[in-house]
Amino acid sequence: MSSADVVWGGQWEHPACGAWGESMWDDEDTVGSGHDCGREGAVSWSAEWRCHDCGDGGYEQLEDDSPVYADHECDEEAA
């Protein structure tokens, strides 16, 4: 297994106040919006990951402040 270059990107939203935003982060990071309006309700993420080495990817629904792991075993060698 090679060390894959996996990157994440996604959009968060907080339905209680209508706030939203976008961000990118690395695999094995914790996704966090930094949003704290004081209203009830959870911030949720719609996120995708992509391996720059082989092009594989996936889609996840996440809760705010969740650690993310693509759990991807890349068969391609990095150039």
Side-chain angles (χ1 to χ4, degrees), residues 7-28:
V7 68
W8 287 78
Q11 183 174 3
W12 62 267
E13 68 175 321
H14 186 215
C17 70
W20 66 275
E22 297 177 327
S23 186
M24 293 183 71
W25 60 95
D26 292 324
D27 201 29
E28 300 183 8

Side-chain angles (χ1 to χ4, degrees), residues 14-58:
H14 186 215
C17 70
W20 66 275
E22 297 177 327
S23 186
M24 293 183 71
W25 60 95
D26 292 324
D27 201 29
E28 300 183 8
D29 281 351
T30 298
V31 62
S33 66
H35 179 70
D36 186 14
C37 69
R39 293 188 183 178
E40 292 186 23
V43 170
S44 60
W45 286 83
S46 296
E48 295 182 69
W49 64 269
R50 177 82 44 209
C51 176
H52 286 281
D53 295 335
C54 70
D56 282 353

